[in-house]
Coordinates of all heavy atoms in Angstrom, one line a residue:
D172 N -9.5 -4.6 -40.9 CA -9.6 -4.2 -39.5 C -8.8 -5.0 -38.6 O -8.9 -6.2 -38.6 CB -11.1 -4.0 -39.1 CG -11.6 -5.4 -38.8 OD1 -11.7 -6.3 -39.7 OD2 -12.0 -5.6 -37.6
E173 N -7.9 -4.3 -37.9 CA -7.0 -5.0 -36.9 C -6.3 -6.2 -37.4 O -6.1 -7.2 -36.7 CB -7.9 -5.3 -35.6 CG -8.4 -4.1 -34.9 CD -7.3 -3.2 -34.5 OE1 -6.4 -3.7 -33.8 OE2 -7.5 -2.0 -34.6
T174 N -5.8 -6.2 -38.6 CA -5.1 -7.3 -39.2 C -4.0 -6.8 -40.1 O -4.2 -5.9 -41.0 CB -6.1 -8.2 -40.1 OG1 -7.2 -8.6 -39.3 CG2 -5.4 -9.4 -40.6
W175 N -2.8 -7.3 -39.9 CA -1.6 -6.9 -40.6 C -0.8 -8.1 -41.1 O -0.8 -9.1 -40.5 CB -0.7 -6.1 -39.7 CG -1.2 -4.8 -39.2 CD1 -0.9 -3.6 -39.7 CD2 -2.1 -4.5 -38.2 NE1 -1.5 -2.6 -39.0 CE2 -2.3 -3.1 -38.1 CE3 -2.8 -5.4 -37.3 CZ2 -3.2 -2.6 -37.1 CZ3 -3.7 -4.8 -36.4 CH2 -3.9 -3.4 -36.3
L176 N -0.3 -8.0 -42.3 CA 0.7 -8.9 -42.8 C 2.0 -8.8 -41.9 O 2.4 -7.7 -41.6 CB 1.0 -8.6 -44.3 CG 2.0 -9.6 -45.0 CD1 1.4 -11.0 -45.1 CD2 2.4 -9.0 -46.3
R177 N 2.5 -9.9 -41.5 CA 3.7 -9.9 -40.8 C 4.9 -9.3 -41.6 O 4.9 -9.4 -42.8 CB 4.1 -11.3 -40.3 CG 3.2 -11.9 -39.3 CD 3.7 -13.2 -38.7 NE 2.7 -13.7 -37.7 CZ 2.7 -13.4 -36.4 NH1 3.6 -12.4 -35.9 NH2 1.8 -13.9 -35.6
P178 N 5.8 -8.6 -40.9 CA 6.9 -8.0 -41.7 C 7.7 -8.9 -42.6 O 8.1 -8.5 -43.6 CB 7.8 -7.4 -40.5 CG 6.9 -7.2 -39.4 CD 5.9 -8.3 -39.5
D179 N 7.8 -10.2 -42.2 CA 8.5 -11.1 -43.0 C 7.6 -11.7 -44.1 O 8.1 -12.6 -44.9 CB 9.2 -12.2 -42.2 CG 8.2 -13.1 -41.4 OD1 6.9 -12.9 -41.6 OD2 8.6 -14.0 -40.7
G180 N 6.3 -11.3 -44.2 CA 5.4 -11.8 -45.2 C 4.9 -13.2 -44.9 O 4.1 -13.8 -45.7
N181 N 5.2 -13.8 -43.8 CA 4.8 -15.1 -43.4 C 3.6 -15.1 -42.4 O 3.9 -15.1 -41.2 CB 6.0 -15.9 -42.8 CG 5.7 -17.4 -42.5 OD1 4.7 -17.9 -43.1 ND2 6.4 -18.0 -41.7
G182 N 2.4 -15.0 -42.9 CA 1.2 -15.0 -42.0 C 0.8 -13.6 -41.6 O 1.4 -12.6 -42.1
Y183 N -0.1 -13.6 -40.7 CA -0.7 -12.3 -40.3 C -0.8 -12.2 -38.8 O -0.7 -13.2 -38.1 CB -2.2 -12.3 -40.8 CG -2.3 -12.4 -42.4 CD1 -2.4 -13.6 -43.0 CD2 -2.3 -11.3 -43.1 CE1 -2.5 -13.7 -44.4 CE2 -2.4 -11.3 -44.5 CZ -2.5 -12.5 -45.1 OH -2.6 -12.6 -46.5
I184 N -0.9 -11.0 -38.4 CA -1.1 -10.6 -37.0 C -2.5 -10.1 -36.9 O -2.9 -9.1 -37.7 CB -0.2 -9.4 -36.6 CG1 1.3 -9.9 -36.7 CG2 -0.5 -9.0 -35.1 CD1 2.3 -8.8 -36.5
T185 N -3.3 -10.6 -36.1 CA -4.7 -10.1 -35.9 C -5.2 -10.4 -34.5 O -4.9 -11.5 -33.9 CB -5.6 -10.7 -36.9 OG1 -7.0 -10.2 -36.6 CG2 -5.6 -12.2 -36.9
K186 N -5.9 -9.5 -33.9 CA -6.4 -9.7 -32.5 C -7.4 -10.8 -32.5 O -7.6 -11.5 -31.5 CB -7.0 -8.4 -32.0 CG -8.3 -8.0 -32.7 CD -8.8 -6.7 -32.0 CE -10.1 -6.2 -32.6 NZ -10.6 -5.0 -31.9
Y187 N -8.0 -11.2 -33.6 CA -9.1 -12.1 -33.7 C -8.6 -13.6 -33.4 O -9.4 -14.5 -33.1 CB -9.9 -12.0 -35.0 CG -10.5 -10.7 -35.1 CD1 -10.1 -9.8 -36.2 CD2 -11.5 -10.2 -34.2 CE1 -10.6 -8.6 -36.3 CE2 -12.0 -8.9 -34.4 CZ -11.6 -8.2 -35.4 OH -12.1 -6.8 -35.5
D188 N -7.3 -13.8 -33.5 CA -6.7 -15.1 -33.3 C -6.9 -15.5 -31.8 O -6.8 -16.6 -31.4 CB -5.2 -15.1 -33.6 CG -5.0 -15.2 -35.1 OD1 -6.0 -15.3 -35.9 OD2 -3.8 -15.2 -35.5
F189 N -7.1 -14.5 -31.0 CA -7.2 -14.7 -29.5 C -8.7 -14.8 -29.1 O -9.1 -14.6 -27.9 CB -6.6 -13.6 -28.7 CG -5.1 -13.8 -28.6 CD1 -4.2 -13.1 -29.5 CD2 -4.5 -14.6 -27.6 CE1 -2.8 -13.3 -29.4 CE2 -3.2 -14.8 -27.5 CZ -2.3 -14.2 -28.4
T190 N -9.5 -15.3 -30.0 CA -10.9 -15.5 -29.8 C -11.1 -16.9 -29.1 O -10.3 -17.8 -29.3 CB -11.8 -15.4 -31.1 OG1 -11.7 -14.1 -31.6 CG2 -13.2 -15.8 -30.9
A191 N -12.1 -17.1 -28.4 CA -12.4 -18.3 -27.7 C -13.9 -18.5 -27.5 O -14.7 -17.6 -27.6 CB -11.7 -18.5 -26.4

Side-chain angles (χ1 to χ4, degrees):
D172 75 298
E173 294 301 314
T174 306
W175 291 260
L176 182 68
R177 291 188 181 276
D179 63 3
N181 184 22
Y183 297 89
I184 299 168
T185 177
K186 68 180 184 181
Y187 301 114
D188 285 355
F189 279 94
T190 297

